[in-house]
Amino acid sequence: MSLINIISVPTVNGIKTIEVHNDDITSLDFEVDVLVLSAYQNKYFPAPGTVIKALLDNTGIVLEDLARKPLLDLRTSLHCWVSDEVPDLNFKHIVCIEGIKTRIEQNGTGKNAMSDLFGTVALLHYKKIKSASIALPVLGAGFQKNAIDAILPELIEKAVDSLNTNPSLNTIYFVEINEE
């Protein structure tokens, strides 16, 4: 694991952190409660270079199988779904956000998509699903080839806001396999 940076975020609930790592998100050497990834709407093909493919190769998880029977299906309202608990791995649940590319094409930014994602993460707290730590790549910037400036500012803003407002969320790990 290559730790690049740790950012302290002072909140009303104490100091929380954002960590930036250069690594394969599916093979972390520490545990997280939730692994977040993105997909096209209802499309889970394990294309080379995607987190979906890395999940299949490194853990045997077929994302499409999890999508068929999610623990929470919020696709109609928040464009996200949450998997049942995944046994024997270094993460417990997967949150998949769908349609980032379509929403950026419609709105020019990923603001609505990131609001939906962190709304879903907040809901985990209220559903008593442990979500003190989440790991995610720069969503939609890899295989989907969305412009980083359409995603990253909104992703960081919503991450900091979530740390401030979600009492159970303590650490957000941004994990990118690509150093750039």
Side-chain angles (χ1 to χ4, degrees), residues 34-46:
V34 178
L35 183 143
V36 178
L37 58 88
S38 64
Y40 288 105
Q41 188 172 1
N42 294 314
K43 293 185 178 22
Y44 313 105
F45 182 76

Side-chain angles (χ1 to χ4, degrees), residues 18-38:
I18 294 174
E19 294 189 17
V20 181
H21 294 264
N22 176 228
D23 206 346
D24 180 340
I25 197 167
T26 66
S27 300
L28 299 175
D29 59 4
F30 57 90
E31 290 189 6
V32 296
D33 297 316
V34 178
L35 183 143
V36 178
L37 58 88
S38 64

Side-chain angles (χ1 to χ4, degrees), residues 83-95:
S83 75
D84 275 320
E85 191 165 325
V86 181
D88 305 322
L89 293 173
N90 57 359
F91 52 90
K92 302 295 179 230
H93 293 275
I94 294 173
V95 170

Side-chain angles (χ1 to χ4, degrees), residues 160-174:
V160 170
D161 183 53
S162 192
L163 287 170
N164 276 300
T165 59
N166 185 337
S168 67
L169 182 59
N170 294 318
T171 306
I172 297 174
Y173 299 94
F174 287 104

Side-chain angles (χ1 to χ4, degrees), residues 34-135:
V34 178
L35 183 143
V36 178
L37 58 88
S38 64
Y40 288 105
Q41 188 172 1
N42 294 314
K43 293 185 178 22
Y44 313 105
F45 182 76
T50 64
V51 175
I52 297 170
K53 175 75 166 139
L55 269 176
L56 179 62
D57 291 348
N58 297 332
T59 69
I61 291 176
V62 177
L63 196 65
E64 187 171 14
D65 292 347
L66 296 180
R68 282 191 200 118
K69 51 183 183 339
L71 176 66
L72 297 173
D73 193 345
L74 307 167
R75 285 176 269 206
T76 19
S77 55
L78 296 174
H79 308 282
C80 293
W81 55 268
V82 181
S83 75
D84 275 320
E85 191 165 325
V86 181
D88 305 322
L89 293 173
N90 57 359
F91 52 90
K92 302 295 179 230
H93 293 275
I94 294 173
V95 170
C96 180
I97 180 166
E98 298 184 2
I100 293 175
K101 183 154 192 78
T102 303
R103 295 168 81 197
I104 289 173
E105 288 169 352
Q106 292 170 344
N107 305 320
T109 73
K111 183 176 186 169
N112 291 339
M114 296 310 126
S115 291
D116 289 349
L117 169 64
F118 284 101
T120 300
V121 171
L123 181 62
L124 297 178
H125 167 74
Y126 294 103
K127 290 286 198 178
K128 307 287 188 230
I129 298 169
K130 189 174 180 201
S131 55
S133 59
I134 64 172

